[in-house]
Protein backbone atom coordinates (compact mmCIF):
# COMPACT_ATOMS: atom_id res chain seq x y z
CA UNK A 1 0.00 0.00 0.00
CA UNK A 2 1.37 3.44 -0.93
CA UNK A 3 -1.74 5.46 -0.16
CA UNK A 4 -4.33 5.41 2.64
CA UNK A 5 -7.90 5.74 1.39
CA UNK A 6 -9.88 7.58 4.07
CA UNK A 7 -13.60 7.56 4.80
CA UNK A 8 -15.14 10.01 7.26
CA UNK A 9 -18.03 8.97 9.49
CA UNK A 10 -20.04 12.09 10.26
CA UNK A 11 -19.49 15.28 8.27
CA UNK A 12 -20.57 17.99 10.67
CA UNK A 13 -18.16 20.68 11.85
CA UNK A 14 -15.30 18.37 12.79
CA UNK A 15 -15.82 15.81 10.03
CA UNK A 16 -15.96 18.44 7.31
CA UNK A 17 -12.84 20.04 8.78
CA UNK A 18 -10.93 16.77 8.49
CA UNK A 19 -12.26 16.33 4.95
CA UNK A 20 -10.96 19.78 4.01
CA UNK A 21 -7.48 18.82 5.21
CA UNK A 22 -7.52 15.52 3.34
CA UNK A 23 -8.73 17.07 0.09
CA UNK A 24 -6.19 19.91 0.32
CA UNK A 25 -3.33 17.61 -0.63
CA UNK A 26 -1.39 18.51 2.54
CA UNK A 27 -1.31 14.96 3.89
CA UNK A 28 1.30 12.92 2.06
CA UNK A 29 0.08 9.41 1.27
CA UNK A 30 -3.58 10.14 2.05
CA UNK A 31 -6.69 10.57 -0.06
CA UNK A 32 -10.34 11.08 0.83
CA UNK A 33 -12.44 8.54 -1.03
CA UNK A 34 -15.74 8.45 0.90
CA UNK A 35 -17.90 10.09 3.55
CA UNK A 36 -21.11 9.08 5.26
CA UNK A 37 -23.75 10.79 7.35
CA UNK A 38 -27.20 9.79 8.57
CA UNK A 39 -28.70 13.13 7.59
CA UNK A 40 -29.73 13.71 3.99
CA UNK A 41 -28.94 17.43 4.10
CA UNK A 42 -25.33 16.63 4.97
CA UNK A 43 -25.09 14.01 2.23
CA UNK A 44 -26.41 16.44 -0.37
CA UNK A 45 -23.94 19.06 0.83
CA UNK A 46 -21.09 16.54 0.55
CA UNK A 47 -22.01 15.62 -3.02
CA UNK A 48 -21.87 19.27 -4.03
CA UNK A 49 -18.73 19.96 -2.04
CA UNK A 50 -16.55 16.99 -3.01
CA UNK A 51 -17.88 15.98 -6.43
CA UNK A 52 -17.68 12.58 -8.08
CA UNK A 53 -14.27 11.74 -6.63
CA UNK A 54 -15.68 11.15 -3.15
CA UNK A 55 -18.44 8.58 -2.67
CA UNK A 56 -21.26 9.53 -0.29
CA UNK A 57 -23.02 6.94 1.87
CA UNK A 58 -25.91 6.92 4.30
CA UNK A 59 -24.09 4.91 6.96
CA UNK A 60 -20.68 3.56 7.93
CA UNK A 61 -21.62 -0.06 7.24
CA UNK A 62 -22.31 0.70 3.58
CA UNK A 63 -19.22 2.87 3.26
CA UNK A 64 -16.85 0.29 4.76
CA UNK A 65 -18.50 -2.53 2.82
CA UNK A 66 -17.90 -0.70 -0.44
CA UNK A 67 -14.20 -1.53 -0.34
CA UNK A 68 -13.35 2.12 -0.98
CA UNK A 69 -11.69 2.85 2.38
CA UNK A 70 -8.67 1.57 4.28
CA UNK A 71 -9.19 3.82 7.31
CA UNK A 72 -12.00 5.83 8.87
CA UNK A 73 -12.07 9.07 10.82
CA UNK A 74 -14.94 8.96 13.33
CA UNK A 75 -16.51 12.38 13.93
CA UNK A 76 -19.95 11.43 15.24
CA UNK A 77 -21.56 12.39 18.61
CA UNK A 78 -19.63 11.26 21.70
CA UNK A 79 -21.67 8.20 22.61
CA UNK A 80 -21.23 6.75 19.11
CA UNK A 81 -17.42 6.82 18.99
CA UNK A 82 -16.78 3.35 20.50
CA UNK A 83 -19.68 1.73 18.63
CA UNK A 84 -18.48 3.01 15.27
CA UNK A 85 -14.87 2.08 16.02
CA UNK A 86 -15.70 -1.47 17.08
CA UNK A 87 -17.74 -1.98 13.90
CA UNK A 88 -14.86 -0.67 11.76
CA UNK A 89 -12.28 -2.90 13.45
CA UNK A 90 -14.54 -5.90 12.84
CA UNK A 91 -14.30 -5.15 9.10
CA UNK A 92 -10.51 -4.85 9.15
CA UNK A 93 -10.35 -1.07 8.86
CA UNK A 94 -7.90 1.29 10.59
CA UNK A 95 -9.54 3.83 12.95
CA UNK A 96 -8.79 7.43 13.90
CA UNK A 97 -11.40 8.59 16.42
CA UNK A 98 -12.26 12.16 17.41
CA UNK A 99 -12.02 13.17 21.05
CA UNK A 100 -13.37 12.22 23.49
CA UNK A 101 -12.77 8.49 23.07
CA UNK A 102 -16.26 7.96 24.46
CA UNK A 103 -18.43 9.04 27.36
CA UNK A 104 -17.65 6.40 29.97
CA UNK A 105 -14.62 4.21 30.58
CA UNK A 106 -16.38 0.86 30.21
CA UNK A 107 -17.35 1.46 26.55
CA UNK A 108 -13.89 2.79 25.75
CA UNK A 109 -12.23 -0.26 27.29
CA UNK A 110 -14.36 -2.43 24.99
CA UNK A 111 -13.20 -0.31 22.03
CA UNK A 112 -9.56 -0.75 23.06
CA UNK A 113 -10.01 -4.51 23.29
CA UNK A 114 -11.53 -4.59 19.80
CA UNK A 115 -8.61 -2.55 18.46
CA UNK A 116 -6.07 -4.93 19.97
CA UNK A 117 -7.90 -7.96 18.59
CA UNK A 118 -8.06 -6.45 15.09
CA UNK A 119 -4.37 -5.64 14.83
CA UNK A 120 -5.26 -2.44 12.96
CA UNK A 121 -3.82 1.01 13.54
CA UNK A 122 -5.82 2.92 16.16
CA UNK A 123 -5.38 6.63 16.86
CA UNK A 124 -7.23 9.47 18.56
CA UNK A 125 -7.43 13.09 17.43
CA UNK A 126 -5.46 14.57 20.33
CA UNK A 127 -4.14 17.36 18.16
CA UNK A 128 -2.71 19.27 21.13
CA UNK A 129 -0.05 16.58 21.46
CA UNK A 130 1.35 18.06 18.25
CA UNK A 131 1.81 21.46 19.93
CA UNK A 132 5.57 22.07 20.38
CA UNK A 133 4.82 23.85 23.66
CA UNK A 134 3.36 20.76 25.32
CA UNK A 135 5.88 18.47 23.63
CA UNK A 136 8.62 20.57 25.23
CA UNK A 137 6.93 20.41 28.62
CA UNK A 138 6.71 16.62 28.37
CA UNK A 139 10.38 16.45 27.38
CA UNK A 140 11.56 18.68 30.24
CA UNK A 141 9.61 16.70 32.82
CA UNK A 142 10.57 13.25 31.50
CA UNK A 143 14.29 14.14 31.39
CA UNK A 144 14.25 15.39 34.98
CA UNK A 145 14.90 19.09 34.35
CA UNK A 146 12.65 20.04 37.28
CA UNK A 147 13.30 16.89 39.29
CA UNK A 148 10.48 14.84 40.78
CA UNK A 149 7.02 16.30 40.09
CA UNK A 150 5.46 17.60 43.30
CA UNK A 151 2.54 19.78 42.27
CA UNK A 152 0.40 20.39 39.16
CA UNK A 153 -1.95 23.36 38.94
CA UNK A 154 -4.04 24.06 35.84
CA UNK A 155 -6.65 26.78 35.68
CA UNK A 156 -8.30 26.57 32.28
CA UNK A 157 -11.32 28.87 32.36
CA UNK A 158 -11.10 30.43 28.88
CA UNK A 159 -13.73 28.04 27.51
CA UNK A 160 -16.40 30.75 27.63
CA UNK A 161 -19.77 29.67 26.22
CA UNK A 162 -22.88 31.92 26.33
CA UNK A 163 -26.41 30.64 26.74
CA UNK A 164 -26.91 31.04 22.98
CA UNK A 165 -24.31 28.32 22.42
CA UNK A 166 -26.19 25.87 24.62
CA UNK A 167 -29.51 26.86 23.03
CA UNK A 168 -28.20 26.05 19.54
CA UNK A 169 -29.24 22.39 19.94
CA UNK A 170 -31.29 20.60 22.61
CA UNK A 171 -28.70 17.80 22.62
CA UNK A 172 -26.08 20.22 23.91
CA UNK A 173 -25.10 20.14 27.60
CA UNK A 174 -27.38 17.19 28.41
CA UNK A 175 -26.54 13.82 29.92
CA UNK A 176 -28.26 11.86 27.16
CA UNK A 177 -27.01 14.08 24.34
CA UNK A 178 -23.36 14.69 25.22
CA UNK A 179 -22.76 12.72 28.40
CA UNK A 180 -21.49 15.76 30.27
CA UNK A 181 -20.48 19.37 29.93
CA UNK A 182 -17.13 21.16 30.01
CA UNK A 183 -15.23 17.98 30.95
CA UNK A 184 -16.52 15.88 28.05
CA UNK A 185 -16.85 18.63 25.44
CA UNK A 186 -14.29 21.40 25.94
CA UNK A 187 -11.62 19.82 28.18
CA UNK A 188 -10.68 16.40 26.75
CA UNK A 189 -7.44 17.87 25.36
CA UNK A 190 -6.54 19.41 28.71
CA UNK A 191 -7.32 16.23 30.61
CA UNK A 192 -5.15 14.30 28.19
CA UNK A 193 -2.28 16.78 28.43
CA UNK A 194 -2.53 16.76 32.24
CA UNK A 195 -1.47 13.11 32.35
CA UNK A 196 0.52 12.93 29.08
CA UNK A 197 2.97 15.76 29.82
CA UNK A 198 3.63 14.63 33.39
CA UNK A 199 3.58 10.88 32.72
CA UNK A 200 1.46 10.38 35.83
CA UNK A 201 -2.05 9.25 36.71
CA UNK A 202 -3.49 10.05 40.16
CA UNK A 203 -4.29 7.43 42.78
CA UNK A 204 -7.41 9.25 43.97
CA UNK A 205 -9.54 12.29 43.15
CA UNK A 206 -11.85 14.60 45.11
CA UNK A 207 -13.87 16.94 42.95
CA UNK A 208 -16.64 19.52 43.09
CA UNK A 209 -18.69 20.10 39.93
CA UNK A 210 -21.37 22.74 39.68
CA UNK A 211 -24.16 21.98 37.26
CA UNK A 212 -25.79 24.77 35.27
CA UNK A 213 -23.92 27.52 37.10
CA UNK A 214 -25.05 30.84 35.55
CA UNK A 215 -26.48 28.84 32.61
CA UNK A 216 -29.73 26.97 31.96
CA UNK A 217 -28.16 23.53 31.38
CA UNK A 218 -28.16 20.20 33.24
CA UNK A 219 -24.47 19.27 33.12
CA UNK A 220 -21.27 20.58 34.72
CA UNK A 221 -19.89 23.91 33.56
CA UNK A 222 -17.74 24.81 36.58
CA UNK A 223 -15.26 22.32 38.06
CA UNK A 224 -12.66 22.25 40.83
CA UNK A 225 -10.81 18.95 41.19
CA UNK A 226 -8.02 17.87 43.54
CA UNK A 227 -5.88 14.80 42.89
CA UNK A 228 -3.19 12.87 44.76
CA UNK A 229 -0.38 10.69 43.36
CA UNK A 230 1.58 7.67 44.53
CA UNK A 231 4.77 9.74 44.92
CA UNK A 232 3.03 12.28 47.18
CA UNK A 233 2.44 14.87 44.46
CA UNK A 234 -0.87 16.73 44.26
CA UNK A 235 -2.81 18.46 41.49
CA UNK A 236 -5.58 21.02 41.19
CA UNK A 237 -7.60 21.32 37.98
CA UNK A 238 -10.08 24.19 37.60
CA UNK A 239 -12.26 24.85 34.57
CA UNK A 240 -15.37 26.83 33.66
CA UNK A 241 -17.40 28.01 30.68
CA UNK A 242 -18.81 31.15 32.32
CA UNK A 243 -15.68 33.08 33.37
CA UNK A 244 -15.08 36.23 31.34
CA UNK A 245 -12.29 36.87 30.80
CA UNK A 246 -10.93 33.41 31.38
CA UNK A 247 -7.45 32.16 32.22
CA UNK A 248 -5.24 29.40 30.84
CA UNK A 249 -2.29 28.87 33.18
CA UNK A 250 -0.49 25.59 33.79
CA UNK A 251 2.14 25.22 36.51
CA UNK A 252 4.18 22.08 37.17
CA UNK A 253 6.42 22.25 40.22
CA UNK A 254 9.18 19.76 40.89
CA UNK A 255 11.98 19.25 43.37
CA UNK A 256 14.35 21.24 41.11
CA UNK A 257 12.10 24.04 39.94
CA UNK A 258 8.86 24.98 38.21
CA UNK A 259 7.53 25.35 34.67
CA UNK A 260 4.76 27.84 33.87
CA UNK A 261 2.82 27.96 30.60
CA UNK A 262 0.60 30.97 29.98
CA UNK A 263 -0.22 33.07 26.92
CA UNK A 264 1.47 30.45 24.71
CA UNK A 265 4.81 31.07 26.44
CA UNK A 266 6.87 28.82 28.68
CA UNK A 267 8.93 30.00 31.64
CA UNK A 268 11.15 27.71 33.69
CA UNK A 269 12.29 28.54 37.21
CA UNK A 270 15.33 26.30 37.72
CA UNK A 271 16.79 25.63 41.17
CA UNK A 272 20.56 25.45 41.35
CA UNK A 273 20.22 22.31 43.46
CA UNK A 274 17.43 19.93 44.39
CA UNK A 275 15.19 21.38 47.09
CA UNK A 276 15.61 18.28 49.26
CA UNK A 277 19.41 18.60 49.11
CA UNK A 278 19.26 22.31 49.92
CA UNK A 279 16.94 21.69 52.83
CA UNK A 280 19.18 18.95 54.21
CA UNK A 281 22.29 21.14 54.36
CA UNK A 282 20.76 24.55 55.11
CA UNK A 283 20.93 26.02 58.64
CA UNK A 284 19.57 29.53 57.94
CA UNK A 285 15.89 29.94 59.09
CA UNK A 286 14.63 32.06 56.17
CA UNK A 287 16.97 30.94 53.42
CA UNK A 288 15.73 29.56 50.11
CA UNK A 289 17.39 27.80 47.18
CA UNK A 290 19.00 29.86 44.44
CA UNK A 291 16.70 30.01 41.44
CA UNK A 292 17.26 30.96 37.79
CA UNK A 293 14.42 32.29 35.65
CA UNK A 294 14.62 31.02 32.07
CA UNK A 295 12.34 32.33 29.33
CA UNK A 296 12.20 29.56 26.75
CA UNK A 297 11.97 30.64 23.11
CA UNK A 298 8.59 30.52 21.41
CA UNK A 299 7.78 26.96 20.45
CA UNK A 300 6.59 27.75 16.95
CA UNK A 301 3.34 26.84 15.18
CA UNK A 302 1.52 23.60 15.85
CA UNK A 303 0.39 21.37 12.95
CA UNK A 304 -2.75 20.54 14.97
CA UNK A 305 -5.23 18.20 13.19
CA UNK A 306 -3.13 17.98 10.04
CA UNK A 307 -0.22 16.80 12.15
CA UNK A 308 -2.26 13.97 13.64
CA UNK A 309 -3.59 12.97 10.21
CA UNK A 310 -0.07 12.87 8.77
CA UNK A 311 1.27 10.89 11.72
CA UNK A 312 -1.62 8.41 11.51
CA UNK A 313 -1.09 8.02 7.75
CA UNK A 314 2.61 7.38 8.30
CA UNK A 315 1.76 4.80 10.95
CA UNK A 316 -0.52 2.90 8.58
CA UNK A 317 1.90 3.04 5.65
CA UNK A 318 5.27 2.76 7.35
CA UNK A 319 4.66 1.71 10.94
CA UNK A 320 5.65 5.11 12.35
CA UNK A 321 5.05 5.47 16.13
CA UNK A 322 1.73 7.16 16.88
CA UNK A 323 1.85 10.47 18.73
CA UNK A 324 -1.66 9.79 20.02
CA UNK A 325 -2.45 6.06 20.23
CA UNK A 326 -6.18 5.48 20.44
CA UNK A 327 -5.79 3.24 23.47
CA UNK A 328 -4.60 6.26 25.48
CA UNK A 329 -7.96 8.00 25.11
CA UNK A 330 -9.09 6.05 28.17
CA UNK A 331 -6.66 7.93 30.43
CA UNK A 332 -8.07 11.45 30.10
CA UNK A 333 -11.59 10.02 30.11
CA UNK A 334 -10.80 8.23 33.38
CA UNK A 335 -9.99 11.61 34.92
CA UNK A 336 -13.26 13.05 33.60
CA UNK A 337 -15.29 10.09 34.88
CA UNK A 338 -13.57 10.22 38.27
CA UNK A 339 -14.32 13.94 38.64
CA UNK A 340 -17.99 13.32 37.85
CA UNK A 341 -18.24 10.34 40.17
CA UNK A 342 -16.55 12.10 43.08
CA UNK A 343 -19.09 14.92 42.80
CA UNK A 344 -22.06 12.56 42.47
CA UNK A 345 -21.00 10.48 45.48
CA UNK A 346 -19.69 13.50 47.43
CA UNK A 347 -16.60 11.50 48.31
CA UNK A 348 -13.09 10.51 47.25
CA UNK A 349 -12.80 8.27 44.21
CA UNK A 350 -9.88 5.85 43.98
CA UNK A 351 -8.17 4.96 40.72
CA UNK A 352 -8.39 2.57 38.93
CA UNK A 353 -12.01 3.70 38.60
CA UNK A 354 -14.94 1.52 39.61
CA UNK A 355 -16.44 1.51 36.12
CA UNK A 356 -19.71 -0.18 37.10
CA UNK A 357 -20.50 2.43 39.77
CA UNK A 358 -19.75 5.28 37.39
CA UNK A 359 -21.91 3.80 34.63
CA UNK A 360 -24.81 3.28 37.06
CA UNK A 361 -24.62 6.89 38.26
CA UNK A 362 -24.41 8.21 34.71
CA UNK A 363 -27.45 6.15 33.70
CA UNK A 364 -29.46 7.75 36.51
CA UNK A 365 -28.79 11.14 34.98
CA UNK A 366 -29.46 9.98 31.44
CA UNK A 367 -32.88 8.73 32.58
CA UNK A 368 -33.83 12.22 33.74
CA UNK A 369 -32.12 14.10 30.90
CA UNK A 370 -33.89 16.90 29.06
CA UNK A 371 -32.67 15.48 25.77
CA UNK A 372 -35.47 13.47 24.18
CA UNK A 373 -35.01 13.33 20.42
CA UNK A 374 -32.32 13.32 17.71
CA UNK A 375 -31.31 16.70 16.37
CA UNK A 376 -30.49 17.80 12.83
CA UNK A 377 -26.89 17.27 11.80
CA UNK A 378 -26.34 21.02 11.71
CA UNK A 379 -26.95 21.16 15.47
CA UNK A 380 -25.29 17.89 16.45
CA UNK A 381 -21.85 18.65 15.07
Amino acid sequence: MNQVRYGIIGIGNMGSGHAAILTSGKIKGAVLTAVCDAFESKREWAKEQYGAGVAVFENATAMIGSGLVDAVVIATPHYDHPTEAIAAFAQGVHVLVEKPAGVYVKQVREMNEAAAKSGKTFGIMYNQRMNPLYQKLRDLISTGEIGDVRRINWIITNWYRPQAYYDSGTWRATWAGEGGGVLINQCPHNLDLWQWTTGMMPTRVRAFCQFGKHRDIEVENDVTAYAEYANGATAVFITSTSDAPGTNRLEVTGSRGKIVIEDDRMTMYRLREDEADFNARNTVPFASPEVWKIELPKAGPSPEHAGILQNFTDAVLNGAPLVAPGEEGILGLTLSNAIHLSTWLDDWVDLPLDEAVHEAELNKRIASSKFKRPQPAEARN
Side-chain angles (χ1 to χ4, degrees):
M1 182 190 299
N2 57 14
Q3 193 174 50
V4 179
R5 300 173 302 162
Y6 279 94
I8 296 179
I9 305 176
I11 45 173
N13 287 339
M14 293 310 303
S16 60
H18 299 321
I21 294 172
L22 288 168
T23 56
S24 71
K26 295 178 181 178
I27 309 304
K28 185 178 179 181
V31 61
L32 181 67
T33 55
V35 299
C36 67
D37 200 286
F39 294 91
E40 184 177 1
S41 60
K42 286 295 183 183
R43 295 196 298 273
E44 291 303 316
W45 174 86
K47 290 175 183 176
E48 294 179 6
Q49 180 74 16
Y50 307 126
V54 177
V56 179
F57 295 89
E58 185 174 341
N59 56 63
T61 301
M63 183 178 75
I64 294 171
S66 70
L68 293 174
V69 302
D70 306 305
V72 294
V73 179
I74 298 174
T76 52
H78 305 156
Y79 279 104
D80 297 336
H81 291 179
T83 303
E84 298 283 10
I86 291 170
F89 286 130
Q91 297 300 315
V93 171
H94 305 285
V95 173
L96 178 58
V97 66
E98 254 297 343
K99 59 80 181 172
V103 174
Y104 54 98
V105 170
K106 180 182 175 183
Q107 63 170 182
V108 172
R109 189 174 303 283
E110 293 170 352
M111 175 173 65
N112 287 355
E113 291 169 354
K117 183 179 179 180
S118 74
K120 294 299 176 180
T121 305
F122 180 31
I124 186 167
M125 191 60 76
Y126 278 150
N127 58 286
Q128 286 304 302
R129 289 194 183 189
M130 302 302 300
N131 190 325
L133 195 63
Y134 295 112
Q135 290 181 345
K136 182 54 130 180
L137 174 63
R138 176 179 162 90
D139 173 59
L140 291 172
I141 292 173
S142 66
T143 55
E145 285 297 321
I146 59 170
D148 297 329
V149 174
R150 292 182 170 185
R151 187 185 309 279
I152 307 159
N153 293 328
W154 201 343
I155 176 168
I156 173 74
T157 57
N158 61 344
W159 288 119
Y160 184 78
R161 296 293 185 272
Q163 186 65 45
Y165 166 82
Y166 295 114
D167 291 344
S168 66
T170 60
W171 73 288
R172 286 196 185 278
T174 61
W175 295 113
E178 286 194 286
V182 63
L183 292 173
I184 205 75
N185 195 327
Q186 284 78 37
C187 280
H189 291 300
N190 310 113
L191 294 171
D192 173 60
L193 292 172
W194 174 4
Q195 59 80 28
W196 182 69
T197 58
T198 60
M200 300 164 58
M201 282 288 286
T203 55
R204 66 175 189 161
V205 173
R206 183 67 175 98
F208 303 88
C209 296
Q210 293 178 284
F211 304 96
K213 185 176 183 180
H214 308 306
R215 298 290 185 271
D216 182 22
I217 58 175
E218 66 186 27
V219 295
E220 86 288 344
N221 64 330
D222 196 288
V223 176
T224 300
Y226 170 79
E228 294 182 348
Y229 295 82
N231 72 341
T234 61
V236 174
F237 184 85
I238 298 171
T239 190
S240 171
T241 61
S242 60
D243 284 14
T247 298
N248 185 354
R249 180 181 175 90
L250 172 60
E251 294 187 6
V252 183
T253 302
S255 59
R256 289 213 58 170
K258 177 173 72 173
I259 296 173
V260 178
I261 295 178
E262 189 171 21
D263 297 327
D264 295 322
R265 296 299 299 265
M266 177 184 292
T267 305
M268 181 165 67
Y269 299 84
R270 183 71 153 75
L271 300 186
R272 187 172 184 180
E273 61 182 314
D274 191 282
E275 187 280 329
D277 294 337
F278 170 85
N279 186 59
R281 69 167 179 79
N282 176 65
T283 59
V284 180
F286 291 98
S288 59
E290 182 178 344
V291 60
W292 306 326
K293 182 180 179 181
I294 305 167
E295 297 282 357
L296 278 78
K298 279 221 170 188
S302 171
E304 299 287 331
H305 300 91
I308 292 291
L309 280 164
Q310 185 64 69
N311 174 244
F312 186 81
T313 301
D314 293 341
V316 172
L317 293 177
N318 310 312
L322 287 170
V323 173
E327 293 83 357
E328 294 182 8
I330 201 169
L331 299 175
L333 184 64
T334 294
L335 294 171
S336 173
N337 283 184
I339 291 170
H340 275 152
L341 187 59
S342 175
T343 301
W344 294 336
L345 300 181
D346 193 20
D347 201 356
W348 286 93
V349 167
D350 293 327
L351 299 181
L353 183 73
D354 189 326
E355 298 171 14
V357 173
H358 174 269
E359 185 182 11
E361 290 295 324
L362 175 62
N363 284 335
K364 290 178 185 177
R365 285 146 185 90
I366 292 173
S368 61
S369 177
K370 298 175 183 177
F371 177 65
K372 300 300 180 186
R373 64 184 187 280
Q375 294 300 300
E378 291 80 2
R380 290 178 67 83
N381 292 285

